[in-house]
């Protein structure tokens, strides 16, 4: 390569050679998303959405069960975004039987809680799909041990069906719905790429498969999507509306499946589990929707901050919904600088580019009396959550036993999806901890010294995950804290990567507090943390 320099002088830094590579650079690169979104969550909580890559998003569940204190970020779910056309959108020929989910949870539910089934060689179904942006097309089906072939046509031909081929000399493009294990719900295959606009999709019985048979069960069609698309979540429940048995809706962050066919009542369902009604129809409640398919990459635990204050020999733990002892003074939530107002139709999400939540609380002793006034600003942009915290002491002299300025709970094995999630933790000096090396153990904390950044990586159901955590003091005048120390608990409950129980771990960034330090009225503590998350989608 030839460099032509015109009127420039090389800097001393250039002459000294290239800067050392940052081992954590990939963990702090912004993702490819463009949107964030906000909707109600169960029990006064909020569901915060942020795009973290092409056709992918994370849902951050903020717990608000204790309305007297601040919101706490308690769970992170990743998913592929799909614009779903469930059974209710199908036009069916003769020969199809309609089915509803008999249970709840991933293994017991069809996409949208409904499916259609046939063994008829003449059975067809049609769906008109539409999206302004380019999209790929998937068919979601139930795998059967006697599963047959499904032929796919788009606009009456197969020219646009470019992601599958003729699997067995059939004379047309098709896919097999055979599965070695019978009734494998929510399987998905991409059948076309690069579509734009409106197209009519026809699925027809493609004959007996070998291995397999002639049974075909279809659950839904789906398109690539982002947070602006309709159909990425079950729709909001509506009053006085016809529903078929199995139809899936949502309300206040809980998802419901109709237990019968009929017209809804006038009072939205509010139960969080089991069966309840709306005055006319009964609904089964679920914590997760049947679409999108979520994977938890962490577990319910505090992230923003937590601390233990010692006053007159008495200890009080402070920090959000878990330890509590923070009295909420005020809260303000904006989306693109406008007050947040929940949506009343569609997916239940308000979509924008930035969410800002400001909460003022009073830290309090468990035995009564104030510790200080805390100001928390939470900013959510595509792929990033930032917390800025400032505490001004107002109470009597106090010691801080510990103060965590940033925390990262994580899941190595997700029992719900029976899959590995996060796998490694990397440090700024290039060292990497493999969580799998601690199976069945609960070792002492692994110290990373004065690091203020960590990188976590893994491959989950959604795709390849990279997650960066940074936490440090902020440049406020006379900041009471100085340096940071970071450590990891790699297997809190000595779990294995198998079974229905999660293997959980947690990383902490802790403020260095010299022994004997006293927090006095007027002292200020300032710190911030950043969480950056990106996913590269795995294409089925």
């Amino acid at each position: 390569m030839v460099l032509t320099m015109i009127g420039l002088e090389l800097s001393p830094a250039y002459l000294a050679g290239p800067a050392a590579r940052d081992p954590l650079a990939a963990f702090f690169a912004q993702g490819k998303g463009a949107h964030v979104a906000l909707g109600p969550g169960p029990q006064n909580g909020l569901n915060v959405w942020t795009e973290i890559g092409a056709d992918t998003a994370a849902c951050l569940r903020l717990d608000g069960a204790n309305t007297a204190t601040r919101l706490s970020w308690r769970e992170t779910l990743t998913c592929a975004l799909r614009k779903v056309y469930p059974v209710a959108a199908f036009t069916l020929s003769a020969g199809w039987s309609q089915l509803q989910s008999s249970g709840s949870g991933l293994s017991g539910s069809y996409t949208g809680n409904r499916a259609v089934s046939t063994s008829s060689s003449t059975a067809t179904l049609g769906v008109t799909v539409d999206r302004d942006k380019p999209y790929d097309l998937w068919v979601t089906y139930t795998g059967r041990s006697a599963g047959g072939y499904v032929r796919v046509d788009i606009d009456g031909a197969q020219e646009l069906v470019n992601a599958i081929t003729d699997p067995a000399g059939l004379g047309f493009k098709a896919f097999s719905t055979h599965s070695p294990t019978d009734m494998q719900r929510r399987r998905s295959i991409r059948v076309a790429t690069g579509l734009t606009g409106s197209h009519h999709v026809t699925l027809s019985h493609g004959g007996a498969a070998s291995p397999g048979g002639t049974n075909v069960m279809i659950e839904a069609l789906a398109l690539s999507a982002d947070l602006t698309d309709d159909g990425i979540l079950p729709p909001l429940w509506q009053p006085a509306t016809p529903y078929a048995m199995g139809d899936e809706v949502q309300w206040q962050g809980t998802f419901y499946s109709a237990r019968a066919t009929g017209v809804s009542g006038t009072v939205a369902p509010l139960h969080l589990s089991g069966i309840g009604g709306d005055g006319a129809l009964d609904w089964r409640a679920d914590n997760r929707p049947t679409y999108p398919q979520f994977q938890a990459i962490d577990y319910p635990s505090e992230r923003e901050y937590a601390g233990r204050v010692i006053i007159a020999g008495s200890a009080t733990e402070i920090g959000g919904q878990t330890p509590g002892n923070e009295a909420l003074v005020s809260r303000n939530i904006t989306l693109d600088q406008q007050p947040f107002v929940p949506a009343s139709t569609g997916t239940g999400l308000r979509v924008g580019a930035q969410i800002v939540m400001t909460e003022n609380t009073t830290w309090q002793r468990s035995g009564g009396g104030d510790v200080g006034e805390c100001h928390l600003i939470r900013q959510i942009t595509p792929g990033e959550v930032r917390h800025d915290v400032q505490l001004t002491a107002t109470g009597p002299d106090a010691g801080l036993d510990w103060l965590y300025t940033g925390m990262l709970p994580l899941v190595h094995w997700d029992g719900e999806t029976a899959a590995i999630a996060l796998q490694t933790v990397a440090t700024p000096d290039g060292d990497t901890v493999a969580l799998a090396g601690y199976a069945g153990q609960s070792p002492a904390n692994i110290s990373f010294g004065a690091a203020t950044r960590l990188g976590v990586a893994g491959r989950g159901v959604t795709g390849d995950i990279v997650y960066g955590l940074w936490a440090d003091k902020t440049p406020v005048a006379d900041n009471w804290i100085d340096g940071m120390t970071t450590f990891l608990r790699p297997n809190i409950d000595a779990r294995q990567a198998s079974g229905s129980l999660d293997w959980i771990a947690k990383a902490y960034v802790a403020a260095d507090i010299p022994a004997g330090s006293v927090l006095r009225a007027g002292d200020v503590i300032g710190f911030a943390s950043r969480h950056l998350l990106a996913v590269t989608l795995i294409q089925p």
Side-chain angles (χ1 to χ4, degrees):
M1 178 173 67
V2 178
L3 295 178
T4 301
M5 307 299 293
I6 303 176
L8 297 177
E9 179 180 354
L10 297 179
S11 70
Y14 183 89
L15 294 172
R21 185 182 68 86
D22 179 3
L24 297 183
F27 298 96
F28 291 88
Q30 291 287 349
K32 299 179 181 179
H35 308 99
V36 297
L38 192 57
Q43 294 183 291
N44 304 300
L46 288 171
N47 289 334
V48 176
W49 291 73
T50 176
E51 293 176 0
I52 55 176
D55 306 332
T56 60
C59 177
L60 321 177
R61 306 193 77 165
L62 273 56
D63 186 359
N66 180 357
T67 58
T69 191
R70 67 167 171 84
L71 297 167
S72 289
W73 176 6
R74 299 298 299 274
E75 188 176 36
T76 307
L77 307 168
T78 62
C79 67
L81 291 173
R82 299 282 184 264
K83 180 177 181 177
V84 172
Y85 292 81
V87 166
F90 294 177
T91 299
L92 302 171
S93 71
W96 293 95
S97 298
Q98 300 215 26
L99 307 170
Q100 295 82 36
S101 298
S102 57
S104 61
L106 290 177
S107 62
S109 300
Y110 305 116
T111 303
N113 279 312
R114 295 173 63 187
V116 293
S117 176
T118 190
S119 293
S120 170
S121 62
T122 60
T124 64
L125 68 82
V127 184
T128 297
V129 300
D130 189 20
R131 187 174 188 249
D132 291 339
K133 303 172 186 176
Y135 61 88
D136 295 351
L137 171 67
W138 285 263
V139 177
T140 303
Y141 64 95
T142 298
R144 301 296 310 271
S145 57
Y149 288 117
V150 175
R151 172 174 175 154
V152 182
D153 289 271
I154 299 176
D155 299 332
Q158 291 202 304
E159 181 180 355
L160 296 177
V161 182
N162 57 11
I164 58 174
T165 59
D166 181 342
L170 301 174
F172 51 82
K173 298 175 183 178
F175 65 90
S176 173
T177 62
H178 166 71
S179 171
T181 302
D182 199 27
M183 295 301 292
Q184 292 290 296
R185 296 174 174 87
R186 299 154 62 99
R187 297 174 69 88
S188 184
I189 183 169
R190 185 169 54 165
V191 298
T193 63
L195 301 176
T196 305
S198 178
H199 296 279
H200 188 76
V201 181
T202 303
L203 305 183
S204 55
H205 199 291
S210 180
T214 60
N215 297 142
V216 168
M217 289 181 65
I218 304 297
E219 301 179 17
L221 270 67
L223 317 182
S224 313
D226 60 37
L227 289 174
T228 65
D229 283 292
D230 58 355
I232 60 172
L233 283 166
L236 287 178
W237 173 92
Q238 297 294 327
T241 299
Y243 289 105
M245 183 177 177
D247 277 347
E248 187 175 16
V249 298
Q250 58 161 309
W251 191 257
Q252 298 293 323
T254 300
F255 300 90
Y256 299 98
S257 176
R259 300 285 291 173
T261 297
V263 177
S264 59
T266 58
V267 180
L270 294 174
H271 56 291
L272 302 177
S273 61
I275 308 297
D278 63 11
L281 286 178
D282 283 342
W283 300 86
R284 186 192 71 227
D286 277 309
N287 184 47
R288 298 276 196 270
T290 64
Y291 65 92
Q293 181 173 342
F294 285 126
Q295 182 181 24
I297 62 170
D298 55 15
Y299 63 96
S301 186
E302 297 298 324
R303 288 163 184 76
E304 295 87 347
Y305 56 82
R308 179 184 289 158
V309 179
I310 310 292
I311 297 178
S314 178
T316 298
E317 291 192 7
I318 295 172
Q321 296 282 321
T322 304
N325 298 310
E326 277 192 89
L328 182 65
V329 177
S330 64
R331 176 184 296 141
N332 183 57
I333 302 174
T334 62
L335 176 66
D336 293 345
Q337 302 180 336
Q338 298 299 315
F340 167 63
V341 178
S344 58
T345 59
T347 62
L349 300 179
R350 295 287 189 191
V351 182
Q354 182 188 50
I355 299 165
V356 178
M357 302 181 183
T358 303
E359 293 178 296
N360 293 301
T361 60
T362 301
W363 287 19
Q364 297 178 323
R365 290 178 282 168
S366 56
D370 295 349
V371 175
E373 299 299 322
C374 186
H375 182 68
L376 166 65
I377 300 176
R378 189 192 322 257
Q379 299 180 67
I380 300 99
T381 51
E384 179 174 353
V385 180
R386 180 183 174 105
H387 305 112
D388 287 273
V389 183
Q390 183 166 316
L391 174 74
T392 302
T394 59
D397 290 359
L400 273 180
D401 192 17
W402 46 262
L403 174 64
Y404 299 140
T405 59
M407 293 168 281
L408 176 51
L410 55 100
V411 167
H412 176 57
W413 171 261
D414 178 29
E416 184 179 29
T417 56
I420 294 290
L422 299 173
Q423 297 168 287
T424 60
V425 179
T427 67
D429 60 10
D431 292 338
T432 298
V433 174
L435 297 175
Y438 296 91
Q441 309 171 46
S442 185
N445 297 340
I446 300 173
S447 176
F448 300 133
T452 59
R453 297 185 303 152
L454 292 176
V456 180
R459 164 166 281 196
V461 173
T462 305
D464 293 322
I465 305 167
V466 291
Y467 192 142
L469 168 67
W470 167 89
D472 206 349
K473 66 178 182 178
T474 50
V476 298
D478 300 319
N479 200 338
W480 192 79
I481 59 175
D482 190 7
M484 300 288 161
T485 299
T486 300
F487 63 92
L488 171 70
R489 299 182 64 189
N491 191 348
I492 292 173
D493 298 316
R495 295 272 164 77
Q496 302 281 348
S498 61
S500 61
L501 299 177
D502 291 349
W503 171 340
I504 63 174
K506 192 169 184 178
Y508 299 80
V509 182
D512 291 335
I513 303 171
S517 298
V518 178
L519 183 67
R520 295 186 168 89
D523 284 347
V524 176
I525 297 175
F527 55 92
S529 63
R530 297 173 65 214
H531 297 252
L532 290 95
L533 181 60
V535 168
T536 301
L537 190 64
I538 298 173
Q539 295 287 3

